[in-house]
Amino acid sequence: MKAKVYIKHRQEILDPQGKAVLQGLNNLGFKGLTDVRVGKYIEITLDCASVESAHEQVKDMCERLLVNTVIENYTYVIEP
Amino acid sequence: MKRPQMTEPQITDRLIKEHGLKPDEYETILKILGRMPTFTELGIFSVMWSEHCSYKSSRIHLKNFPTEAPWVIQGPGENAGVIDIGDNQAAVFKMESHNHPSFIEPYQGAATGVGGILRDIFTMGARPIASLNSLRFGPLTDPYQKHLFSGVVSGIAGYGNCIGVPTVGGEIYVHPCYAGNILVNAFNLGIADIDRIFYGKATGIGNLIVYVGSKTGKDGIHGVTMASEEFTDDAQQKKPNVQVGDPFTEKLLLEACLEAMKENLIVGIQDMGGAGLTSSSSEMAARANMGIELELSRVPLREANMIPYEIMLSESQERMLIVAEEKNLEPLLSIFKKWDLEAAAIGHVSGDGYLRIKWFDETVAEIPASRISTEAPMYDRPQSRPDYQDELNILDESEIEVLTDNNDVLLKLLSSPNIASKELVWQEYDHMVRTSTVVLPGKGDAAVIRVHGSKKGIAMSVDCNSRYCYLDPYMGGIHTLTESARNVAATGAKPLAVTDCLNFGNPEKPEVMWQFAEALRGISDACRALEIPVISGNVSFYNETKGTAIYPTPTVGVVGIIEDVSQALTMGFKNIGDVVILLGPSTGSLGGSEYLSLLHGIERGLPHPVDLEMEMQLIELMVKLCKNGLIVSSHDLSEGGLAVALAESSITGNIGLNAELKTIAKGVRTDTLLYGESASRIVVSAKPDAVANIESMTKEASVPCHVIGKTVENKMFKITIDGNILMNLPLTTISSAYKESLQRGLNDRV
């Protein structure tokens, strides 16, 4: 099974990296950009008895290590 | 820009309570306004009357600090204090806490703590040249404390290293009382020209209010209210109050502000720290006895749909508020545009003393500015000496076993996280950037920074022994100030002024208020005796979790000047065959010592009393000895007493020692002799031919002076009494205990 985890800064929290990228794109002449948010994408290959237990494990991984839930949000999908 | 739909809650008792306002405080609000507050006004009162912004429990006590001296240019009440350091230059410095945010999100909490104190310094027109910090954690055997520890250290390094201001010193203590409430106190010092110091005053009716820096987002709303509450089990739910710092933007802001100051485009300026736009605008207005009118639709926003309440209370980082004459607006905006920063005129100075907030022309708040800043509520809270205090102060030394394996005791003390080298930590900090650092971290009792364009150096030390303060807050306060001053003097610098960061529990508890008042009385008495005025500072109350307060921790940062920085002294022994001399009283006492706590598990008794006259004489003597080039190393005695101080000088200099303590050993327990702690003591080393001179100068200064050993060629650390060996260890052994213990402790998995 493969878990695909998407992490980004919570909406109300400043994303300095996204801000720097936005500035860079503007400097290159791209027009009409209003916001850039830069996040992380993590792929985890795991051997699990069921999709349910994979969900449980991945959620636990996110809460305990992968995501700083104080400032970040996450979503994930499990692919068989 | 279109006006978003505004849905504001009704003002109910519950909402008032959620804003941390007490019923009588709300009554006062009704009286001041003569009507119900709007939602925005409730938010403004809530943050400005929070303990963090208003100092409502502490102001009455802070008034007793001595704050004046001929060299003080600006005392407490501004963004930072300022002293004259000669040659038309001024040193601007302050210390501030960021305890609560760092407990919730250690990296960003510590990082924005550094960012905040930097802004306090450059808002005065100074270029920041050095950061220090004082950190306190619970036992590092706990995995969660390790997480907090590494997060805080990385956060300080991340912000400080990116903006290019060296982190040159500080202290770290570990004690169970901080497990639920870590302390992160950040100190910064900057240099300004005396005729170019800027103040947070909104003078000149009609002058414009200009917003500069980053955009305003929804981050950190009500951060200061959080810092004015105890933590409960749901501390994690207070998540949205955390802010993310951006040191690269701060660097731009720093350069842009200094450029605008150089071009004389600024009338007044203040950073937007705790309580953001609200505190900066109302405090600048109140200091100048003026009013300020703002139009919030002109504030640069990161998110659409922000309502006035959120805009006024946001604690987004890297923002400043400037007062400028209208004719200077265009050049001002163009400077900030050049540095890729937001800048917008968002209001003007008015003459009626009101903070008036408009949003798309509608008035959403109208409050007399002084009532939410300089004239905020002030309480003389009840104090009472804790019932346990008498019991705590009893220490029957006859019941304490005199440990005889002193090799083992010394190694244990050197391995204590409170004594062991913090190299692991300061290696993460860029302590050399700007190439002015003369005394590096770990090399001396205080950090010393060269002042460019002169021979002068600035010495800085942050200190607090909170165990002493717990056992006797008054004497602990004296110890805190004298140790910090002694550290500065040990480098050869003359201590000139102090900033403080007073960390205590819940001030509504009479026992905590007693600790606070007593500690301040101690610090004040010591400041008066040593002629070191308090010029800035910060109070952090409510450092409690689930009803348990931290030990009283009134951290201070003393700053001094050394006229010729090339003479600055460090703690390591320098040459083989030098004479080692103990200046000051020959013994200390066991009460409150690291030895008693670490080896016997006892934290009781009383800290050794401090003789302030002796302390002053010792400080003056140190400055003289350094100036005359008579000594080559100096190290003050603190935790671990004489044995640890000697070991640190040996380890840092990588030179062996033969110490013979016969002259000071009479009638003293060996453990008191070796590990007892007291103030007013410094170990120095000197060439043999300088000893006669040193002895006559110490006699003249009425400071006791004992030759207690000499440095030797073999790499052994040996202490004897009348030839009987008390301890004898290879340098490599004590060095490894001292330098590697912190790392080993952090690596241990539980």
Side-chain angles (χ1 to χ4, degrees):
Chain A
M1 261 179 272
K2 189 170 270 182
K4 297 179 168 178
V5 184
Y6 302 86
I7 304 165
K8 61 174 193 162
H9 274 72
R10 289 156 59 133
Q11 187 55 42
E12 71 274 17
I13 281 178
L14 175 71
D15 173 13
Q17 199 181 350
K19 192 176 139 195
V21 173
L22 175 65
Q23 184 81 44
L25 291 172
N26 281 334
N27 291 348
L28 283 174
F30 290 93
K31 298 275 179 251
L33 312 178
T34 53
D35 196 16
V36 176
R37 309 286 286 182
V38 177
K40 271 183 281 192
Y41 167 64
I42 301 174
E43 269 186 11
I44 303 162
T45 309
L46 68 174
D47 204 2
C48 250
S50 68
V51 176
E52 287 72 38
S53 77
H55 268 284
E56 219 168 87
Q57 273 207 47
V58 171
K59 190 165 189 301
D60 200 26
M61 289 179 211
C62 286
E63 294 284 336
R64 287 174 57 190
L65 180 69
L66 303 180
V67 183
N68 179 355
T69 55
V70 180
I71 54 175
E72 292 169 332
N73 279 332
Y74 66 95
T75 57
Y76 63 85
V77 289
I78 308 275
E79 288 177 358
Chain B
M1 196 175 127
K2 204 170 97 255
R3 174 179 163 149
Q5 202 65 36
M6 179 158 71
T7 46
E8 292 191 337
Q10 289 289 315
I11 310 289
T12 59
D13 286 351
R14 193 177 156 183
L15 191 73
I16 293 163
K17 191 159 181 277
E18 279 172 1
H19 278 74
L21 290 162
K22 301 274 149 69
D24 59 314
E25 290 176 338
Y26 183 70
E27 286 302 312
T28 314
I29 292 173
L30 293 180
K31 260 184 232 151
I32 290 170
L33 296 177
R35 58 178 164 78
M36 291 265 285
T38 63
F39 183 50
T40 309
E41 286 171 337
L42 188 71
I44 290 174
F45 275 108
S46 156
V47 291
M48 292 306 292
W49 284 7
S50 70
E51 189 65 58
H52 184 88
C53 282
S54 69
Y55 294 87
K56 58 189 170 190
S57 309
S58 58
R59 288 212 315 274
I60 197 162
H61 300 282
L62 297 172
K63 282 197 287 197
N64 298 327
F65 276 144
T67 59
E68 283 172 11
W71 52 89
V72 173
I73 296 173
Q74 173 68 51
E78 261 288 343
N79 287 299
V82 186
I83 57 168
D84 188 339
I85 57 167
D87 305 323
N88 197 38
Q89 286 177 311
V92 179
F93 61 95
K94 190 184 183 186
M95 181 157 44
E96 223 169 46
S97 62
H98 231 214
N99 307 336
H100 292 77
S102 303
F103 187 67
I104 292 179
E105 201 332 274
Y107 184 99
Q108 295 297 344
T112 52
V114 173
I117 194 69
L118 282 163
R119 284 194 300 282
D120 277 335
I121 301 308
F122 71 75
T123 188
M124 302 291 294
R127 179 174 286 280
I129 61 163
S131 289
L132 286 86
N133 49 70
S134 169
L135 313 176
R136 275 147 216 272
F137 302 92
L140 296 178
T141 43
D142 171 2
Y144 192 64
Q145 297 298 320
K146 286 183 195 182
H147 157 77
L148 292 172
F149 181 90
S150 65
V152 165
V153 170
S154 305
I156 291 170
Y159 208 99
N161 296 2
C162 287
I163 196 171
V165 176
T167 305
V168 295
E171 55 164 13
I172 297 174
Y173 280 93
V174 168
H175 192 278
C177 74
Y178 301 110
N181 208 120
I182 63 170
L183 299 186
V184 175
N185 294 173
F187 168 101
N188 191 270
L189 180 141
I191 298 289
D193 290 342
I194 277 187
D195 47 9
R196 229 175 251 286
I197 292 165
F198 290 81
Y199 297 98
K201 283 196 182 116
T203 48
I205 297 172
N207 277 347
L208 296 177
I209 307 296
V210 184
Y211 170 113
V212 299
S214 288
K215 287 179 178 165
T216 296
K218 288 183 183 173
D219 36 10
I221 291 172
H222 271 304
V224 293
T225 324
M226 170 183 75
S228 305
E229 286 170 8
E230 292 176 33
F231 279 135
T232 49
D233 267 337
D234 63 348
Q236 288 299 318
Q237 296 187 355
K238 294 180 191 266
K239 278 173 187 177
N241 289 336
V242 178
Q243 311 116 53
V244 170
D246 181 358
F248 299 106
T249 299
E250 179 118 322
K251 172 67 175 167
L252 301 178
L253 188 60
L254 158 66
E255 298 302 337
C257 287
L258 292 183
E259 184 177 332
M261 287 164 173
K262 202 172 157 202
E263 301 293 327
N264 256 330
L265 302 175
I266 289 176
V267 174
I269 178 166
Q270 179 157 340
D271 87 295
M272 290 191 232
L277 195 48
T278 298
S279 64
S280 52
S281 57
S282 56
E283 285 174 10
M284 286 216 284
R287 282 196 202 105
N289 288 320
M290 288 287 165
I292 277 184
E293 189 172 316
L294 301 178
E295 171 51 73
L296 296 188
S297 62
R298 296 192 201 139
V299 172
L301 298 180
R302 207 164 72 221
E303 282 183 78
N305 302 324
M306 283 183 72
I307 59 171
Y309 176 93
E310 294 168 322
I311 298 170
M312 289 306 288
L313 266 48
S314 163
E315 291 190 7
S316 290
Q317 298 288 295
E318 292 94 23
R319 303 180 299 159
M320 302 281 246
L321 204 59
I322 290 173
V323 180
E325 290 177 36
E326 194 166 3
K327 67 174 165 51
N328 290 329
L329 180 64
E330 282 313 312
L332 199 59
L333 294 183
S334 81
I335 287 176
F336 283 90
K337 187 159 183 276
K338 182 181 87 184
W339 289 98
D340 274 340
L341 293 163
E342 302 289 333
I346 60 166
H348 62 266
V349 178
S350 64
D352 64 1
Y354 272 80
L355 175 68
R356 193 171 289 106
I357 309 298
K358 294 188 169 182
W359 193 50
F360 296 93
D361 291 330
E362 180 196 339
T363 302
V364 292
E366 200 170 20
I367 308 170
S370 62
R371 300 306 298 266
I372 45 172
S373 52
T374 45
E375 291 167 35
M378 181 159 88
Y379 300 131
D380 186 359
R381 296 203 188 269
Q383 307 167 23
S384 80
R385 191 165 188 272
D387 296 334
Y388 58 76
Q389 203 75 28
D390 285 332
E391 161 79 31
L392 193 63
N393 291 151
I394 299 169
L395 179 69
D396 183 358
E397 292 198 2
S398 65
E399 283 180 12
I400 298 163
E401 185 198 353
V402 182
L403 300 177
T404 47
D405 187 351
N406 286 298
N407 284 347
D408 179 61
V409 174
L410 180 69
L411 290 175
K412 283 193 173 128
L413 280 169
L414 289 174
S415 307
S416 156
N418 296 337
I419 290 176
S421 163
K422 312 297 185 293
E423 185 168 346
L424 157 84
V425 172
W426 53 254
Q427 269 184 341
E428 284 200 41
Y429 303 147
D430 188 338
H431 50 273
M432 297 287 282
V433 65
R434 299 183 53 80
T435 64
S436 304
T437 317
V438 178
V439 175
L440 304 180
K443 296 291 181 204
D445 286 352
V448 180
I449 294 278
R450 182 183 295 112
V451 180
H452 280 296
S454 75
K455 279 169 73 184
K456 283 193 305 271
I458 296 183
M460 294 156 281
S461 167
V462 294
D463 271 293
C464 178
N465 185 319
S466 63
R467 191 155 49 217
Y468 292 174
C469 294
Y470 171 63
L471 296 174
D472 181 350
Y474 172 74
M475 197 49 76
I478 292 182
H479 269 284
T480 292
L481 195 278
T482 52
E483 181 177 352
S484 193
R486 192 163 58 249
N487 283 341
V488 166
T491 66
K494 180 179 162 48
L496 287 180
V498 62
T499 181
D500 60 60
C501 191
L502 311 167
N503 310 275
F504 286 82
N506 180 348
E508 294 160 51
K509 293 182 182 167
E511 290 79 14
V512 170
M513 212 54 223
W514 176 80
Q515 293 176 328
F516 183 76
E518 283 293 287
L520 262 64
R521 197 164 65 82
I523 293 173
S524 293
D525 283 356
C527 285
R528 285 201 177 86
L530 304 184
E531 293 165 23
I532 301 173
V534 176
I535 63 159
S536 58
N538 161 254
V539 180
S540 171
F541 278 128
Y542 298 97
N543 290 293
E544 300 204 1
T545 296
K546 290 187 235 164
T548 311
I550 59 164
Y551 279 4
T553 314
T555 312
V556 300
V558 171
V559 171
I561 292 289
I562 178 164
E563 279 170 32
D564 181 354
V565 77
S566 68
Q567 290 187 310
L569 292 163
T570 53
M571 67 160 110
F573 292 140
K574 300 291 179 300
N575 321 291
I576 292 159
D578 280 354
V579 176
V580 177
I581 302 168
L582 172 65
L583 301 177
S586 54
T587 57
S589 54
L590 293 183
S593 65
E594 182 73 17
Y595 164 77
L596 212 53
S597 167
L598 190 76
L599 278 299
H600 295 276
I602 298 172
E603 298 202 333
R604 42 190 318 130
L606 284 165
H608 199 81
V610 182
D611 178 348
L612 284 168
E613 208 175 314
M614 164 89 72
E615 191 70 48
M616 185 63 167
Q617 285 154 348
L618 178 69
I619 287 171
E620 285 174 347
L621 173 68
M622 280 307 301
V623 175
K624 262 190 222 156
L625 289 174
C626 172
K627 202 173 182 177
N628 293 336
L630 289 172
I631 50 180
V632 295
S633 80
S634 78
H635 186 25
D636 117 278
L637 272 60
S638 57
E639 287 83 2
L642 180 61
V644 165
L646 290 171
E648 286 172 340
S649 288
S650 254
I651 294 164
T652 315
N654 193 26
I655 288 178
L657 172 78
N658 267 359
E660 166 55 59
L661 305 183
K662 187 169 74 175
T663 52
I664 56 172
K666 209 175 165 199
V668 192
R669 292 165 57 120
T670 27
D671 53 359
T672 307
L673 175 70
L674 292 172
Y675 320 112
E677 298 173 12
S678 86
S680 323
R681 296 201 287 170
I682 293 181
V683 163
V684 301
S685 68
K687 295 262 184 213
D689 59 12
V691 175
N693 250 334
I694 294 171
E695 281 177 335
S696 80
M697 281 176 75
T698 53
K699 199 169 173 196
E700 203 177 299
S702 312
V703 173
C705 165
H706 295 94
V707 172
I708 55 166
K710 63 169 195 285
T711 54
V712 292
E713 193 170 1
N714 68 9
K715 302 265 179 192
M716 294 294 286
F717 180 79
K718 185 163 86 173
I719 297 182
T720 56
I721 296 180
D722 220 359
N724 298 316
I725 293 174
L726 292 181
M727 57 178 79
N728 192 16
L729 285 159
L731 263 193
T732 47
T733 310
I734 59 171
S735 182
S736 133
Y738 181 68
K739 289 184 176 165
E740 292 159 23
S741 295
L742 196 56
Q743 181 76 64
R744 270 202 293 270
L746 288 169
N747 287 349
D748 279 348
R749 302 226 184 282
V750 179

